[in-house]
mmCIF file of all heavy atoms in Angstrom:
data_model
loop_
_atom_site.group_PDB
_atom_site.id
_atom_site.type_symbol
_atom_site.label_atom_id
_atom_site.label_comp_id
_atom_site.label_asym_id
_atom_site.label_seq_id
_atom_site.Cartn_x
_atom_site.Cartn_y
_atom_site.Cartn_z
ATOM 1 N N VAL A 360 97.077 66.520 72.532
ATOM 2 C CA VAL A 360 96.985 66.902 73.945
ATOM 3 C C VAL A 360 96.099 65.915 74.680
ATOM 4 O O VAL A 360 95.427 65.100 74.058
ATOM 5 C CB VAL A 360 96.417 68.327 74.107
ATOM 6 C CG1 VAL A 360 97.385 69.347 73.610
ATOM 7 C CG2 VAL A 360 95.082 68.441 73.430
ATOM 8 N N LYS A 361 96.111 66.027 75.971
ATOM 9 C CA LYS A 361 95.286 65.126 76.764
ATOM 10 C C LYS A 361 93.835 65.215 76.309
ATOM 11 O O LYS A 361 93.363 66.272 75.934
ATOM 12 C CB LYS A 361 95.367 65.539 78.246
ATOM 13 C CG LYS A 361 96.668 65.118 78.885
ATOM 14 C CD LYS A 361 96.604 65.230 80.371
ATOM 15 C CE LYS A 361 96.458 66.665 80.830
ATOM 16 N NZ LYS A 361 96.357 66.790 82.269
ATOM 17 N N GLU A 362 93.147 64.102 76.391
ATOM 18 C CA GLU A 362 91.776 64.052 75.876
ATOM 19 C C GLU A 362 90.856 65.086 76.494
ATOM 20 O O GLU A 362 90.106 65.765 75.825
ATOM 21 C CB GLU A 362 91.184 62.674 76.139
ATOM 22 C CG GLU A 362 91.068 61.845 74.882
ATOM 23 C CD GLU A 362 90.456 60.515 75.194
ATOM 24 O OE1 GLU A 362 89.381 60.522 75.810
ATOM 25 O OE2 GLU A 362 91.052 59.485 74.826
ATOM 26 N N GLU A 363 90.988 65.235 77.831
ATOM 27 C CA GLU A 363 90.077 66.152 78.518
ATOM 28 C C GLU A 363 90.304 67.598 78.071
ATOM 29 O O GLU A 363 89.383 68.394 77.998
ATOM 30 C CB GLU A 363 90.145 66.018 80.056
ATOM 31 C CG GLU A 363 91.473 66.310 80.672
ATOM 32 C CD GLU A 363 92.287 65.027 80.847
ATOM 33 O OE1 GLU A 363 92.219 64.139 79.986
ATOM 34 O OE2 GLU A 363 92.993 64.945 81.847
ATOM 35 N N LEU A 364 91.535 67.919 77.762
ATOM 36 C CA LEU A 364 91.807 69.273 77.273
ATOM 37 C C LEU A 364 91.176 69.488 75.901
ATOM 38 O O LEU A 364 90.629 70.534 75.612
ATOM 39 C CB LEU A 364 93.315 69.519 77.184
ATOM 40 C CG LEU A 364 93.991 69.942 78.475
ATOM 41 C CD1 LEU A 364 95.473 70.163 78.243
ATOM 42 C CD2 LEU A 364 93.369 71.213 78.999
ATOM 43 N N GLY A 365 91.266 68.470 75.081
ATOM 44 C CA GLY A 365 90.660 68.539 73.753
ATOM 45 C C GLY A 365 89.173 68.774 73.850
ATOM 46 O O GLY A 365 88.604 69.619 73.168
ATOM 47 N N ARG A 366 88.558 68.028 74.783
ATOM 48 C CA ARG A 366 87.114 68.164 74.980
ATOM 49 C C ARG A 366 86.781 69.556 75.478
ATOM 50 O O ARG A 366 85.873 70.209 75.036
ATOM 51 C CB ARG A 366 86.628 67.123 75.995
ATOM 52 C CG ARG A 366 86.161 65.830 75.362
ATOM 53 C CD ARG A 366 85.183 65.112 76.278
ATOM 54 N NE ARG A 366 85.699 64.926 77.619
ATOM 55 C CZ ARG A 366 86.507 63.926 77.978
ATOM 56 N NH1 ARG A 366 86.891 63.027 77.092
ATOM 57 N NH2 ARG A 366 86.927 63.813 79.223
ATOM 58 N N PHE A 367 87.614 70.025 76.416
ATOM 59 C CA PHE A 367 87.401 71.350 76.994
ATOM 60 C C PHE A 367 87.431 72.417 75.897
ATOM 61 O O PHE A 367 86.584 73.301 75.838
ATOM 62 C CB PHE A 367 88.495 71.635 78.034
ATOM 63 C CG PHE A 367 88.623 73.075 78.387
ATOM 64 C CD1 PHE A 367 87.761 73.641 79.317
ATOM 65 C CD2 PHE A 367 89.572 73.889 77.774
ATOM 66 C CE1 PHE A 367 87.860 74.975 79.630
ATOM 67 C CE2 PHE A 367 89.669 75.222 78.076
ATOM 68 C CZ PHE A 367 88.807 75.763 79.005
ATOM 69 N N ILE A 368 88.391 72.276 75.033
ATOM 70 C CA ILE A 368 88.550 73.267 73.968
ATOM 71 C C ILE A 368 87.345 73.239 73.028
ATOM 72 O O ILE A 368 86.827 74.276 72.631
ATOM 73 C CB ILE A 368 89.881 73.026 73.221
ATOM 74 C CG1 ILE A 368 91.023 73.543 74.118
ATOM 75 C CG2 ILE A 368 89.917 73.712 71.875
ATOM 76 C CD1 ILE A 368 92.372 73.109 73.702
ATOM 77 N N GLN A 369 86.860 72.049 72.749
ATOM 78 C CA GLN A 369 85.673 71.937 71.890
ATOM 79 C C GLN A 369 84.447 72.542 72.548
ATOM 80 O O GLN A 369 83.723 73.332 71.961
ATOM 81 C CB GLN A 369 85.390 70.467 71.603
ATOM 82 C CG GLN A 369 86.136 69.974 70.374
ATOM 83 C CD GLN A 369 85.745 68.555 70.061
ATOM 84 O OE1 GLN A 369 85.188 67.847 70.890
ATOM 85 N NE2 GLN A 369 86.061 68.128 68.852
ATOM 86 N N LEU A 370 84.278 72.203 73.826
ATOM 87 C CA LEU A 370 83.085 72.662 74.542
ATOM 88 C C LEU A 370 83.051 74.179 74.666
ATOM 89 O O LEU A 370 82.003 74.794 74.626
ATOM 90 C CB LEU A 370 83.037 72.055 75.952
ATOM 91 C CG LEU A 370 82.578 70.619 76.034
ATOM 92 C CD1 LEU A 370 82.734 70.091 77.446
ATOM 93 C CD2 LEU A 370 81.102 70.509 75.618
ATOM 94 N N ASN A 371 84.197 74.772 74.854
ATOM 95 C CA ASN A 371 84.233 76.208 75.071
ATOM 96 C C ASN A 371 84.423 77.003 73.792
ATOM 97 O O ASN A 371 84.668 78.206 73.846
ATOM 98 C CB ASN A 371 85.328 76.556 76.076
ATOM 99 C CG ASN A 371 84.918 76.143 77.467
ATOM 100 O OD1 ASN A 371 84.090 76.789 78.095
ATOM 101 N ND2 ASN A 371 85.440 75.019 77.906
ATOM 102 N N GLU A 372 84.332 76.306 72.705
ATOM 103 C CA GLU A 372 84.420 76.959 71.402
ATOM 104 C C GLU A 372 85.666 77.823 71.272
ATOM 105 O O GLU A 372 85.635 78.957 70.794
ATOM 106 C CB GLU A 372 83.177 77.819 71.142
ATOM 107 C CG GLU A 372 81.928 76.977 71.037
ATOM 108 C CD GLU A 372 80.675 77.826 70.957
ATOM 109 O OE1 GLU A 372 80.764 79.029 71.194
ATOM 110 O OE2 GLU A 372 79.628 77.254 70.644
#
Side-chain angles (χ1 to χ4, degrees):
Chain A
V360 291
K361 284 193 295 178
E362 253 181 53
E363 61 266 36
L364 276 180
R366 268 204 307 277
F367 163 82
I368 284 166
Q369 272 184 343
L370 282 173
N371 287 285
E372 295 173 349

